[in-house]
Amino acid sequence: MPRRAKRACRNAPEPDPEMPSGKRTKAMKTETSDKLVVEGGPSDSTKKAQAAKDCGNESSRYWLMKSEPESRMEKGVDVKFGIEDLKAQPKQTACWDGVRNYQARNFLRAMKVGEEAFFYHSNCKEPGIAGLMKIVKEAYPDHTQFEKGSPHYDPSSKKDNPKWSVVDVQFIRMTKRFIPLAELKVHHQAHKASGGPLENMALFTRQRLSVQPLTKGEFDFVLSLEDKKPS
DNA sequence: GCCAACGTTGGC
DNA sequence: GCCAACGTTGGC
């Protein structure tokens, strides 16, 4: 599943040939269509327009990344990885592995060092935003796709052309208070009705996407909730 | 290239 | 545990 990060990998992962830019197979169809800006050639205005539409603007992006804070077994492996688990890692840094959805992967590949992301707790008692982290290493191949024992093993992925990527993230801080999904949803509904920063928030408009972009407006609004009374 | 069947996500 | 939403697969 495109679910979440799991165990942290080594802090200094091996260098690896990053995605060869060759052939597009049929299976890679989706990745083409929602390929992001990132290093898109200067001539590629379509991709840029697409990315602009998805993310607001290119230079300063914000992200939301989902992970499960409660134990759940998948192929005999516990996939639990909450913000406390990130905090407990060496250097409070982990690689965000296990993403198995092309669109989410493409967002991972679009991330730049220094960009900030919300750590979102999903599939749990109280879903919502728990804290902040930042990107400390840009996309490189996800080692779990080659590990037979991993719940995220992908036998169709080849070492010389890895399908799936990770980024490294580092804990910044907890949000001043937990911001529940239910509260965000109330704002989303209100903003949808009469306008406001959360009206198009991907959390609600792209339901199952585990890695998603936020506009600065969305990011700032969510952060402003920290200082407000739980509604 | 369509689309039905299937599998996964994830809130409730 | 249920099930709606939606991505993926594969037959044709």
Side-chain angles (χ1 to χ4, degrees), chain A residues 153-164:
Chain A
Y153 175 57
D154 181 353
S156 73
S157 184
K158 299 288 170 262
K159 280 262 185 185
D160 61 0
N161 188 13
K163 278 191 184 174
W164 307 111

Side-chain angles (χ1 to χ4, degrees), chain A residues 16-81:
Chain A
D16 218 329
E18 186 56 356
M19 68 181 282
S21 56
K23 29 189 117 162
R24 307 203 179 283
T25 67
K26 192 171 179 188
M28 293 166 83
K29 162 174 64 115
T30 34
E31 89 186 281
T32 316
S33 61
D34 47 38
K35 179 111 187 166
L36 264 209
V37 144
V38 207
E39 55 244 2
S43 63
D44 209 332
S45 52
T46 305
K47 287 173 186 173
K48 285 210 162 115
Q50 179 64 38
K53 186 161 139 271
D54 282 353
C55 313
N57 86 66
E58 323 102 30
S59 56
S60 187
R61 288 227 198 86
Y62 300 88
W63 308 97
L64 181 148
M65 300 164 79
K66 302 178 181 176
S67 188
E68 302 185 32
E70 294 173 6
S71 285
R72 189 175 62 81
M73 290 303 182
E74 199 174 326
K75 297 186 189 162
V77 180
D78 191 350
V79 297
K80 168 185 187 292
F81 191 85

Side-chain angles (χ1 to χ4, degrees), chain A residues 82-103:
Chain A
I83 196 164
E84 296 296 342
D85 298 298
L86 175 60
K87 235 173 127 173
Q89 295 300 321
K91 298 186 188 169
Q92 301 188 316
T93 298
C95 78
W96 202 265
D97 61 28
V99 170
R100 295 293 180 271
N101 167 286
Y102 286 112
Q103 211 171 3

Side-chain angles (χ1 to χ4, degrees), chain A residues 4-230:
Chain A
R4 316 117 253 297
K6 216 106 314 77
R7 73 224 58 200
C9 33
R10 245 39 85 236
N11 283 331
E14 78 298 342
D16 218 329
E18 186 56 356
M19 68 181 282
S21 56
K23 29 189 117 162
R24 307 203 179 283
T25 67
K26 192 171 179 188
M28 293 166 83
K29 162 174 64 115
T30 34
E31 89 186 281
T32 316
S33 61
D34 47 38
K35 179 111 187 166
L36 264 209
V37 144
V38 207
E39 55 244 2
S43 63
D44 209 332
S45 52
T46 305
K47 287 173 186 173
K48 285 210 162 115
Q50 179 64 38
K53 186 161 139 271
D54 282 353
C55 313
N57 86 66
E58 323 102 30
S59 56
S60 187
R61 288 227 198 86
Y62 300 88
W63 308 97
L64 181 148
M65 300 164 79
K66 302 178 181 176
S67 188
E68 302 185 32
E70 294 173 6
S71 285
R72 189 175 62 81
M73 290 303 182
E74 199 174 326
K75 297 186 189 162
V77 180
D78 191 350
V79 297
K80 168 185 187 292
F81 191 85
I83 196 164
E84 296 296 342
D85 298 298
L86 175 60
K87 235 173 127 173
Q89 295 300 321
K91 298 186 188 169
Q92 301 188 316
T93 298
C95 78
W96 202 265
D97 61 28
V99 170
R100 295 293 180 271
N101 167 286
Y102 286 112
Q103 211 171 3
R105 182 207 64 181
N106 291 342
F107 286 132
L108 286 177
R109 290 183 177 178
M111 292 176 174
K112 297 296 181 194
V113 165
E115 290 176 346
E116 294 181 39
F118 287 126
F119 196 123
Y120 177 90
H121 281 172
S122 70
N123 206 19
C124 56
K125 269 282 172 43
E126 214 189 1
I129 290 170
L132 282 160
M133 54 194 174
K134 67 182 173 195
I135 311 308
V136 293
K137 183 182 168 75
E138 288 165 22
Y140 60 98
D142 183 342
H143 61 102
T144 66
Q145 68 196 303
F146 304 120
E147 296 169 0
K148 291 218 170 72
S150 169
H152 308 294
Y153 175 57
D154 181 353
S156 73
S157 184
K158 299 288 170 262
K159 280 262 185 185
D160 61 0
N161 188 13
K163 278 191 184 174
W164 307 111
S165 300
V166 297
V167 295
D168 287 356
V169 294
Q170 182 172 40
F171 176 82
I172 297 178
R173 63 175 178 87
M174 306 296 287
T175 43
K176 293 176 198 166
R177 65 181 180 86
F178 183 81
I179 302 172
L181 174 64
E183 182 176 339
L184 293 171
K185 189 180 279 180
V186 168
H187 292 293
H188 167 64
Q189 296 292 357
H191 293 182
K192 221 170 40 165
S194 28
L198 299 197
E199 64 182 335
N200 299 125
M201 194 181 189
L203 194 55
F204 305 102
T205 60
R206 313 297 316 277
Q207 234 173 259
R208 293 168 39 188
L209 194 57
S210 68
V211 176
Q212 44 184 262
L214 278 78
T215 63
K216 178 158 174 56
E218 289 164 347
F219 184 84
D220 290 344
F221 182 86
V222 171
L223 270 190
S224 77
L225 297 175
E226 279 192 307
D227 298 311
K228 298 202 170 112
K229 278 269 162 53

